[in-house]
Amino acid sequence: MDCKEYCAALFLDLSKAFDTVDRVILVNRLKIFGLSVNVVSWSSNYLSARTQCVHVAGCSPSFCPVSKGVPQGSILGPLLFSLYINNLSENLSNIQFHLFADDTVIYSSSPSAAQLLKFLQYGFDFVQFRLTQPKFVLNAEKSNFMLVVINVS
């Protein structure tokens, strides 16, 4: 805005992001990051053989296995999720990204509104493509677009 350019941002929300983390993909990404064999093994063990149940009015149903996702409410859950999704914005020019756990902001600026919208459309298409590998789904109801128009003359 200080440069008298058009600015726009897409605010994207992922549906049940922490619950949909594919653990095989996550463990492979930990290896790619160069973590030691012991850390990768410990992380894999931490994520595997997890169960959950819901207690309602004193009734305790049996525990069910949880085959995907990272534990919510833990210290490691957000860290593991961030490592899982951190390559979302690789190799894009003219677009900036901010990742906040399951919320992503894509933004850009340009002297031309038409060029700005092309940048954002390309960034959005790229992100949608990249979200298919880790099996994420955008929550359209919680995603928004914001265009800031200033006097560019």
Side-chain angles (χ1 to χ4, degrees), residues 9-28:
L10 289 170
F11 298 88
L12 306 175
D13 182 79
L14 300 176
S15 295
K16 300 184 181 188
F18 279 68
D19 296 334
T20 58
V21 169
D22 183 304
R23 294 175 181 169
V24 173
I25 294 173
L26 174 58
V27 169
N28 286 334

Side-chain angles (χ1 to χ4, degrees), residues 1-12:
M1 289 175 61
D2 290 340
C3 297
K4 303 283 190 222
E5 294 186 338
Y6 293 93
C7 303
L10 289 170
F11 298 88
L12 306 175

Side-chain angles (χ1 to χ4, degrees), residues 51-66:
T51 60
Q52 69 181 14
C53 77
V54 178
H55 295 277
V56 178
C59 295
S60 297
S62 60
F63 282 81
C64 298
V66 178

Side-chain angles (χ1 to χ4, degrees), residues 6 10 24 57 72 77 94 102 113 126:
Y6 293 93
L10 289 170
V24 173
Q72 294 185 42
N94 302 315
D102 61 343
F126 183 85

